[in-house]
Amino acid sequence: MTRSKRLAPLIKLAREGEIRAARAMAEARRQLEDQQRRLSDLKAYHRDYQKRIGTAGRNGINAGDLNRYKTFLTRLDGVIALQAQQVERMAAHYAAMRTLWTEARARYRSLETAAERYRREELRADDRREQQQSDDHTPSRPTAAHD
């Protein structure tokens, strides 16, 4: 069996590994985008709620309602901080999955490159062998002897 053919199972495994890594990276990216969207929604809700407090304050608001608004905003700030941490974790996870995919892709490509190099070497060896066989079957011409 030729060297290029011996690499075929390794190339197949490397390709499958790259595909799995690409899927894991895509899932991590989807999760990151979901978490980013949630954070954006929470921040938008926070802004809207602050506007409502401002409007209520201009229209007159009793102290109890104002305290409830402020308490809610404090809780919302805490939720936003937790969500921001979740986004950071998901960004780190996505970066790790991207690194794994990059490494898997590099392994696959290096095996493909090696197999291609072996195939070229094998073709050159076959060509030389055929040329040698052709030369061996061709009658050689006697050279004229010089007196």
Side-chain angles (χ1 to χ4, degrees):
M1 180 180 289
T2 63
R3 288 192 298 177
S4 63
K5 289 187 181 181
R6 284 193 304 257
L7 279 181
L10 295 175
I11 291 170
K12 181 181 178 192
L13 288 174
R15 178 67 180 145
E16 290 168 357
E18 180 196 8
I19 290 169
R20 279 191 307 275
R23 286 183 181 145
M25 181 183 67
E27 177 61 18
R29 182 178 182 151
R30 186 194 62 73
Q31 290 174 354
L32 172 60
E33 289 170 351
D34 285 349
Q35 297 302 318
Q36 287 171 329
R37 199 171 13 264
R38 286 181 185 162
L39 179 58
S40 178
D41 291 347
L42 285 168
K43 286 179 177 180
Y45 184 66
H46 188 276
R47 283 189 305 271
D48 290 345
Y49 206 78
Q50 279 183 315
K51 286 179 188 176
R52 278 193 249 161
I53 291 174
T55 302
R58 283 188 297 276
N59 295 337
I61 187 170
N62 68 44
D65 288 343
L66 183 60
N67 281 335
R68 280 190 289 281
Y69 274 123
K70 287 183 178 183
T71 300
F72 180 76
L73 276 178
T74 300
R75 287 182 183 161
L76 190 54
D77 286 337
V79 170
I80 288 171
L82 289 173
Q83 186 62 31
Q85 290 172 357
Q86 180 65 14
V87 167
E88 288 176 18
R89 282 191 295 277
M90 291 309 302
H93 178 67
Y94 171 69
M97 292 298 102
R98 182 170 172 80
T99 298
L100 290 176
W101 170 73
T102 300
E103 292 169 355
R105 188 176 81 183
R107 276 191 298 280
Y108 169 68
R109 286 183 173 179
S110 68
L111 285 170
E112 275 287 315
T113 300
E116 182 57 34
R117 186 177 65 243
Y118 291 155
R119 280 190 287 274
R120 285 192 306 269
E121 289 172 4
E122 291 159 2
L123 285 173
R124 281 194 299 272
D126 287 346
D127 289 346
R128 284 191 301 271
R129 202 172 14 264
E130 287 175 14
Q131 184 63 44
Q132 182 63 39
Q133 288 174 351
S134 176
D135 290 348
D136 289 348
H137 291 357
T138 304
S140 57
R141 291 188 223 159
T143 56
H146 290 46
D147 291 298

